[in-house]
Amino acid sequence: MKWTRFLPLVAATMLMTACASPQKPGDEEVVQGAEKKVETTKIPSIQLSDEYYKTLIPVKESASRGLVVTNLYTKYDTREVETGLMRLSQREYPTSDYFIQEGQYLAKGTVQNWLGRSNKTEEGLNPSDDGLTPEQRAMQAPMYLAHIVEQNYLTKTKDDKVTLGGISIGLALNSVYYYQKEQYGEYYEQPIDDSKLREEGRKIADEIYKRLRGRDELKNVPIVIGLYKQKANNDIIPGAYMSYSVGKADAKGLGEWTDIEEEYVLFPATDVNDEHRAINTSFDNFKRDVNKYFSNTTSVIGRGFYQNKEIKKLSLEIPIQFFGETETVGFTQFVASEIAKHFPNNILLEISINSMDGPEALIVRKPDEKVPFVHMYNE
């Protein structure tokens, strides 16, 4: 499955992954060659952000496409397990030097096989439950591994070819194990301790690394493996990566594990610690003022993203029950004017205003910008 892409002497620009838009003036056509097959691809000329990797269009679909939706509990985790892995990978593969591509080396059947129990499927990575009752299984051998995400990182060589430069693997781990004591009976849940999750996750990572290194096409590339802790099935915020390790090119095993200080917090928060208290207070005051002046709102929900115990992004969702365009515009203007009053200026703030008819307005204030961007969907 080894392949190479050939590029003419052109300057590649940044593009968000999976934005395969029709070719526009300024797009650069390139030639992709794989063994005897030659395909024409392109690199769009528009640069969206230096936070995203360059990509080649058309995007190659993942070899295990679709499994992430069925294997993880919530839409929040299905997104974050991939975007978080991309963010983690930037520590090893700089966006200035690498392209990104969906995983091409782990086929759907391989991933499904690896996710099974060792006594149920060939090469299953979850523990055997042979001879255990449902209660014993929950305590002694829960399903730790829920999903495997693969991302490929490509680099351009001196002779203008693009070849595989590294692989990142995200291991989505269960923080809660759900089980039934009898068929068609009530579901019970068994939380899994973080220390146990890390221990079992690292064992699984070591085995996956060994299997990947056993492939000829993956013998000489760096491999990054991250451990992702997914939330419970009723959570409305995503989990986060707990730690990661890197196996350098030609290394027989993974290196030391590095902890990752990332988390998502739901506001209003019921259990407030020191890092979250300031934003929770700001959120409560903002919500109070919104409800004071516009009574046709329901519950405001906030999701904060923290890195190293500092908030980086706050997303607010405001459902409304307005019936007139004038009232919607007035409410949006009020919310935009309240931002500077309540929230610190050094974080990314996104506010979505929605009604039963769909999205009504979007307000975005980037860090250190005084005037927010406002978009009305129905104008």
Side-chain angles (χ1 to χ4, degrees), residues 183-194:
Q183 192 176 16
Y184 308 118
E186 180 182 355
Y187 271 93
Y188 296 84
E189 58 182 57
Q190 175 63 47
I192 302 175
D193 183 73
D194 279 0

Side-chain angles (χ1 to χ4, degrees), residues 6 22 132 141 163 203 205 237:
F6 298 87
L132 300 180
T163 188
K203 290 179 183 178
I237 56 172

Side-chain angles (χ1 to χ4, degrees), residues 231 235-240 262-273 275-277 279-280 283 301-307 309-311 313-316:
K231 289 285 190 175
D235 267 298
I236 58 174
I237 56 172
E262 291 185 352
E263 66 171 334
Y264 285 86
V265 178
L266 182 67
F267 295 108
T270 54
D271 183 17
V272 182
N273 57 30
E275 304 95 69
H276 310 149
R277 184 170 289 109
I279 294 298
N280 193 60
F283 176 87
I301 296 175
R303 297 179 180 89
F305 174 60
Y306 285 76
Q307 285 183 318
K309 299 183 179 181
E310 293 185 2
I311 189 165
K313 178 181 178 181
L314 179 63
S315 300
L316 305 181

Side-chain angles (χ1 to χ4, degrees), residues 198-307:
R198 290 176 187 271
E199 177 187 348
E200 296 298 328
R202 292 180 182 184
K203 290 179 183 178
I204 294 171
D206 286 337
E207 179 59 29
I208 287 179
Y209 183 85
K210 185 189 304 181
R211 295 179 185 183
L212 294 178
R213 277 286 184 247
R215 301 187 179 191
D216 290 339
E217 65 271 33
L218 303 180
K219 286 184 178 298
N220 302 310
V221 297
I223 298 177
V224 174
I225 300 184
L227 304 183
Y228 179 87
K229 176 186 174 182
Q230 78 159 324
K231 289 285 190 175
N233 61 11
N234 58 350
D235 267 298
I236 58 174
I237 56 172
Y241 278 90
M242 306 167 67
S243 59
Y244 78 101
S245 181
V246 181
K248 298 295 185 180
D250 300 325
K252 293 183 179 180
L254 289 167
E256 294 294 323
W257 286 88
T258 301
D259 288 338
I260 300 174
E261 291 273 353
E262 291 185 352
E263 66 171 334
Y264 285 86
V265 178
L266 182 67
F267 295 108
T270 54
D271 183 17
V272 182
N273 57 30
D274 291 340
E275 304 95 69
H276 310 149
R277 184 170 289 109
I279 294 298
N280 193 60
T281 300
S282 297
F283 176 87
D284 285 341
N285 292 336
F286 170 79
K287 183 179 178 181
R288 178 200 62 208
D289 287 353
V290 168
N291 290 333
K292 178 180 178 181
Y293 288 99
F294 289 87
S295 59
N296 285 342
T297 59
T298 54
S299 57
V300 182
I301 296 175
R303 297 179 180 89
F305 174 60
Y306 285 76
Q307 285 183 318

Side-chain angles (χ1 to χ4, degrees), residues 121-185:
T121 67
E122 183 182 1
E123 297 188 318
L125 292 169
N126 275 300
S128 170
D129 64 350
D130 190 28
L132 300 180
T133 66
E135 293 89 341
Q136 291 172 332
R137 187 184 303 121
M139 298 297 298
Q140 302 173 28
M143 297 284 284
Y144 296 109
L145 182 61
H147 186 58
I148 302 172
V149 175
E150 176 198 355
Q151 293 174 352
N152 299 158
Y153 291 89
L154 320 176
T155 185
K156 191 168 79 170
T157 63
K158 293 181 179 179
D159 55 352
D160 298 307
K161 298 176 181 178
V162 174
T163 188
L164 183 67
I167 285 184
S168 288
I169 300 292
L171 303 183
L173 305 173
N174 290 317
S175 60
V176 178
Y177 175 64
Y178 298 93
Y179 67 99
Q180 293 172 291
K181 293 182 179 180
E182 56 186 24
Q183 192 176 16
Y184 308 118

